[in-house]
Amino acid sequence: MFSDMKDGLPPRTMFEPQSKEVINFAVGQPSTKDFPMKEIRAAVKEFAAVDDDELSMSLEYGYQAGDGSFLHVLASFLQDQQGEELDALSARNLFVTNGATGGMLVLLNHLRFGEVPKCLVDEASYFLALKVFEESGYHVIPVKSSEEGTGPNMLELRHLVAVYRPAFYYTVPTYANPTGVTVPRTLREQVYECCRSGGVKIIADEVYDLLYFESDNRVPSYAAIDAANARDTVFSLGSLTKILAPGLRVGWIRASEALLKPIIDSALAYSGGGMNHYVQGQLRAVISSGDLSTYVDRLRLKYKTQATAMVQALDEHFVPLGCEFQPPSGGYFVWVRLPAGVSCDDLQQACKKMDGTTVLFMPGTKFSLSSGVHSDRIRLSFVRYEEAAIQQGMSLLGSALSSLVGK
C-alpha cells in the first residue's frame, strides 16, 4: 500500500509537493501555497487561549450532529454566502461529517435497502464516488445526459426511477466534477419533482457551489429547493475541503430535521459522538471572524484568473486541432472533447514519450463504470497552478496532441 515509504514510514500526504518536473492537471486539489496559513494560525492561537471549561468541552464526546456553536456559525455563513431567505437554514439542518466523502458513507449506510441496493448517477460522474458506491455493494445505474449536456435526460431519468426504484440519485449539480456544467434552475426543478414523486432521495454533492466567478450566474442549490418545498427529498453534501483546506476533514450533510433525525439517533453517531469535535472548536473562530468569507472571495478571483489562462491556452493550442470545450463559470474543471479518432489513452501515451516536464490529466474513461465510455474526453483542473505554469503545461499537452492529429 505504501510504495513510497521513506525511512520505513508511510508518506505524510496523498500527493507529492509540486515540482518543475511535473505539471499535474489531473488532481482536483488546490495548491498548498493557497492555504490561508495566517488565518488558520490565528484561529488555533485564539482557541488555545480559551479557559479550561471551554477546552474540556471540546475534548469531550461532541453532540452527534456537531458542536452547537460551530453549527450555528456554519449555518449563518452558508445562508449569507448562498443568499437564501432568513430561516431557510439553521443549525438543526446540519450534520458534521469527515469531509463530503464521510457524509456520503453515512448516507449509503442510512439509505440502503434490498439485497442489492440501486442508485442512479449522471452519465459522467465523480470517479471516486462511483467506486465508493460499488464498494458499498450498490448497483450503479448511469443516467444519460440531455442533448444540451446541461444535466440528465428527463425521459430517461423518469423511466429509471419508475423501473428500478433506486435508493437515491447522486449528482454534482454545480460546476460538476468532471464536466464543469451547472444544471439550470428549470431542469433542477424537474429532477427534484421526478425524484420526490418517485420516492427517490437526491444526494446532491454541492461542494463547489460557492466557487462561482460571477454572482449573477448562480442558481438555487438542491438543498434550497428542498427547503422551499419542505418535502424531505434532498441530502446535500458540503465541505471545507474546497473552500478552506482538505486536511481539516470537516464537511456536512444539509437536510431537513426529519431526514437528519435518524442519522443523529444512529448507533454510529451515538458511539463516536460528533465528528472532528476538537477541530470544530478551532474552525468556529475562522468562520465567525469573517476570515473564511474573505478567503472564499479571494479564491473566486484567483480561480477565475487561472480558468481564464486555461481557456486561452485551449483556444490557442487545442481548438485549432479540433477540440471542443465549454468555458467554466466556476469550480475546478474543464471537460475537453478530443478530436475525432484520438482517445484519452492515445494522448496519455503521447505525453509519456515527451522529454522534459511531464503533464498529467484525468482521462475521461475514469468517470464511468462502463468500459470505453468518455474515451474521447479529458478532465483538466485549473486550480493548482499559476497562469505561467498553466500556459506551459497546456502548450506541452497541445504539442503531444498535435503529434496524434492526422495520423
Side-chain angles (χ1 to χ4, degrees):
M1 180 178 179
F2 299 113
S3 57
D4 298 326
M5 285 191 181
K6 295 179 181 179
D7 300 323
L9 297 174
R12 295 187 62 193
T13 63
M14 286 180 62
F15 303 105
E16 290 295 322
Q18 291 172 220
S19 71
K20 294 181 179 179
E21 289 74 33
V22 178
I23 298 178
N24 190 347
F25 295 137
V27 61
Q29 178 181 324
S31 169
T32 55
K33 297 175 183 177
D34 292 335
F35 293 156
M37 308 295 192
K38 178 181 176 182
E39 291 85 348
I40 293 293
R41 284 196 177 99
V44 171
K45 184 177 180 180
E46 179 178 331
F47 186 71
V50 301
D51 60 35
D52 287 355
D53 288 342
E54 178 66 25
L55 181 59
S56 67
M57 289 182 65
S58 293
L59 296 173
E60 176 61 281
Y61 282 108
Y63 172 60
Q64 300 99 290
D67 182 311
S69 57
F70 173 75
L71 291 173
H72 175 71
V73 298
L74 177 62
S76 297
F77 166 78
L78 293 174
Q79 186 161 283
D80 178 64
Q81 289 285 317
Q82 294 168 343
E84 295 184 38
E85 297 294 327
L86 292 176
D87 301 324
L89 171 61
S90 77
R92 296 186 298 275
N93 300 123
L94 298 171
F95 181 95
V96 177
T97 63
N98 180 20
T101 304
M104 193 184 297
L105 289 170
V106 168
L107 293 176
L108 292 181
N109 182 59
H110 172 64
L111 295 173
R112 185 184 188 93
F113 69 86
E115 186 173 341
V116 181
K118 303 174 182 66
C119 67
L120 304 181
V121 300
D122 293 321
E123 189 175 38
S125 283
Y126 173 40
F127 70 102
L128 288 177
L130 297 177
K131 292 191 69 67
V132 169
F133 300 156
E134 269 204 328
E135 290 175 359
S136 299
Y138 278 76
H139 175 205
V140 182
I141 304 163
V143 183
K144 291 180 181 178
S145 64
S146 64
E147 289 186 10
E148 301 78 14
T150 56
N153 180 298
M154 285 308 303
L155 285 176
E156 170 138 331
L157 181 62
R158 292 187 184 103
H159 172 73
L160 294 176
V161 165
V163 170
Y164 288 102
R165 295 293 176 184
F168 62 85
Y169 164 54
Y170 169 81
T171 183
V172 187
T174 307
Y175 316 127
N177 183 1
T179 65
V181 165
T182 293
V183 179
R185 179 171 188 157
T186 301
L187 184 53
R188 289 184 190 221
E189 291 171 345
Q190 292 174 357
V191 169
Y192 178 81
E193 181 56 30
C194 172
C195 291
R196 184 207 63 76
S197 61
V200 175
K201 302 305 182 193
I202 297 173
I203 297 181
D205 197 339
E206 300 185 304
V207 296
Y208 303 102
D209 274 33
L210 301 185
L211 296 176
Y212 52 85
F213 298 158
E214 304 293 342
S215 60
D216 58 359
N217 64 14
R218 303 178 65 198
V219 295
S221 66
Y222 273 112
I225 293 172
D226 198 37
N229 286 273
R231 303 306 291 265
D232 301 339
T233 298
V234 175
F235 292 98
S236 171
L237 298 175
S239 179
L240 293 180
T241 292
K242 306 302 181 186
I243 59 172
L244 193 57
L248 297 169
R249 304 315 307 144
V250 172
W252 56 88
I253 300 170
R254 176 183 172 180
S256 67
E257 291 183 61
L259 287 181
L260 286 182
K261 187 177 188 308
I263 297 175
I264 294 171
D265 292 342
S266 68
L268 173 66
Y270 262 111
S271 176
M275 298 187 189
N276 288 325
H277 183 54
Y278 181 81
V279 175
Q280 290 177 51
Q282 295 179 328
L283 293 178
R284 186 172 62 236
V286 178
I287 300 174
S288 61
S289 66
D291 284 345
L292 181 56
S293 294
T294 302
Y295 177 63
V296 173
D297 286 341
R298 293 206 308 265
L299 282 184
R300 292 183 189 123
L301 292 173
K302 191 172 192 302
Y303 290 171
K304 180 180 179 180
T305 299
Q306 292 167 202
T308 299
M310 182 164 280
V311 166
Q312 290 172 345
L314 283 164
D315 283 336
E316 180 180 354
H317 301 292
F318 286 69
V319 172
L321 298 175
C323 290
E324 298 176 358
F325 71 98
Q326 179 176 320
S329 56
Y332 272 33
F333 307 113
V334 182
W335 187 234
V336 181
R337 186 191 300 276
L338 298 173
V342 178
S343 73
C344 53
D345 288 341
D346 294 335
L347 185 55
Q348 279 191 320
Q349 293 304 314
C351 287
K352 290 178 182 178
K353 294 176 182 178
M354 296 184 69
D355 296 328
T357 301
T358 300
V359 181
L360 304 177
F361 59 85
M362 192 64 75
T365 49
K366 284 277 190 180
F367 301 96
S368 172
L369 293 175
S370 301
S371 178
V373 176
H374 309 308
S375 62
D376 63 340
R377 297 277 192 166
I378 63 172
R379 189 199 74 179
L380 301 171
S381 172
F382 50 79
V383 301
R384 194 168 174 82
Y385 295 97
E386 303 293 336
E387 298 99 290
I390 289 173
Q391 291 162 0
Q392 177 192 3
M394 295 299 289
S395 176
L396 292 170
L397 192 57
S399 295
L401 179 61
S402 180
S403 71
L404 299 171
V405 174
K407 283 191 173 183

